[in-house]
Amino acid sequence: MSTGPDIRRVGVAGGGLMGAGIAEVCARAGCDVRVVVTTDRSRDASRARLERSLDASVARGKLGVDERNAVLSRVSFGTELNEFADRQLVFETVTEDEGTKVKLLRQLDGILPDSDVVFATNTSSLPVTRLAAATAHPGRVVGTHFFNPVPAMPLVEVTGGPETDARTVERTEAFVTRVLGKEAIRSADRAGFVVNALLVPYLLSAVRMAESGHASAEDIDKGMTLGCGHPMGPLRLADLVGIDTLRAVARGLYEESGDPAYSPPEILTRMVEAGRCGQKSGRGFHSYSQQHQ
Ligand code: 3HC
């Protein structure tokens, strides 16, 4: 069995904001990374997202052009899950929907029967225990919650359910800390783990404040950046997370806990229906130029 630091062949299922970010940090750490998405279109979008992020690092002077090209050469993109057959660790980063995640994990079971391969689910609101229970080897399923933007945020929450092998949690934590250079915190398998349990009610309070006309989006954000020293205000942060993602996470937490603090305000649904999904779609509570998307 490989230890965490020995893991070098990584799979990433899903190439959205989180998937592309996780692929980037793994490739920057020297891993061979295979990203699998469902359509040719999302494959192209995912590759473009990774290239944009690396180019932004080059422009900031954080990455040389040769290194950028080397990182890109370590990432391959495909549309068939059986391209994961030789992976030692697979991150599942598909949409925050239990049925979708369970279906994917079961498909991965068929492709990776060796119970030594770690399945890491990047959920931020679904219980790892339930996802693990739906698979053939619950002992190898672990939660890894990365933060957006993945290359910039140093934290990963690592969560094992009651059926997760202690060794799986240790290997995963060793991988995210010693290979990826992130900081890890462990959380029990509770709704929202540590960070979203605290963050989501705060973001939703800001959404309700804007919706009720209590203050403008600009002033709410200014209040929390200048008044409390946060790097960005809650509505800009909601835009960064994605309005659709925030709504899905809040729904999951509300269903799990029954706590009204997590109940997503209707305006989030209207914004998603209008295509205002935040920074990635150009508009949310604020507007964004294409270079930020
Ligand atoms: N990729 C790589 N590095 C990046 C980056 C990116 N996309 N964006 C910023 N950085 C790095 C910069 O290189 C710079 O590094 P340095 O300090 O070593 O020079 C540093 O981050 C600061 O960047 P900038 O000066 O360009 O920009 P800002 O100071 O405005 O910082 C930010 C940008 C890091 C995004 C900052 O605004 C921030 O920390 N915002 C809060 C983000 C946050 O809270 N994320 C968590 C979201 S919750 C979540 O993801 C969970 C989900 O389940 C809901």
Side-chain angles (χ1 to χ4, degrees), residues 5 82 101 112 120 126-127 130 138 142 144-145 170 188 204 215 218 264:
N82 58 20
K101 285 188 185 287
L112 293 155
L126 298 169
R130 257 199 337 253
V142 64
T144 47
H145 184 210
E170 280 157 22
L204 297 183
E218 286 70 22

Side-chain angles (χ1 to χ4, degrees), residues 97-236:
D97 170 72
E98 188 166 343
T100 310
K101 285 188 185 287
V102 164
K103 185 173 168 212
L104 175 74
L105 289 169
R106 285 188 176 147
Q107 285 172 313
L108 290 176
D109 267 336
I111 291 155
L112 293 155
D114 177 359
S115 62
D116 189 33
V117 178
V118 175
F119 286 5
T121 171
N122 188 57
T123 182
S124 47
S125 58
L126 298 169
V128 174
T129 309
R130 257 199 337 253
L131 297 175
T135 71
H137 303 290
R140 65 167 160 176
V141 180
V142 64
T144 47
H145 184 210
F146 286 75
F147 294 83
N148 191 7
V150 179
M153 303 310 285
L155 186 71
V156 181
E157 290 180 296
V158 178
T159 302
E163 296 299 314
T164 308
D165 292 338
R167 179 100 178 89
T168 303
V169 177
E170 280 157 22
R171 288 171 74 203
T172 306
E173 187 170 312
F175 178 77
V176 299
T177 56
R178 291 167 62 186
V179 178
L180 302 187
K182 301 281 188 194
E183 294 280 339
I185 58 172
R186 289 195 191 184
S187 167
D189 191 17
R190 298 286 181 279
F193 311 128
V194 172
V195 174
N196 276 348
L198 297 169
L199 178 67
V200 171
Y202 161 63
L203 297 185
L204 297 183
S205 299
V207 171
R208 291 189 193 99
M209 193 178 256
E211 189 182 20
S212 70
H214 188 132
S216 68
E218 286 70 22
D219 282 354
I220 292 168
D221 280 350
K222 204 170 176 180
M224 295 311 290
T225 49
L226 300 187
C228 294
H230 291 190
M232 55 185 16
L235 298 173
R236 203 166 279 282

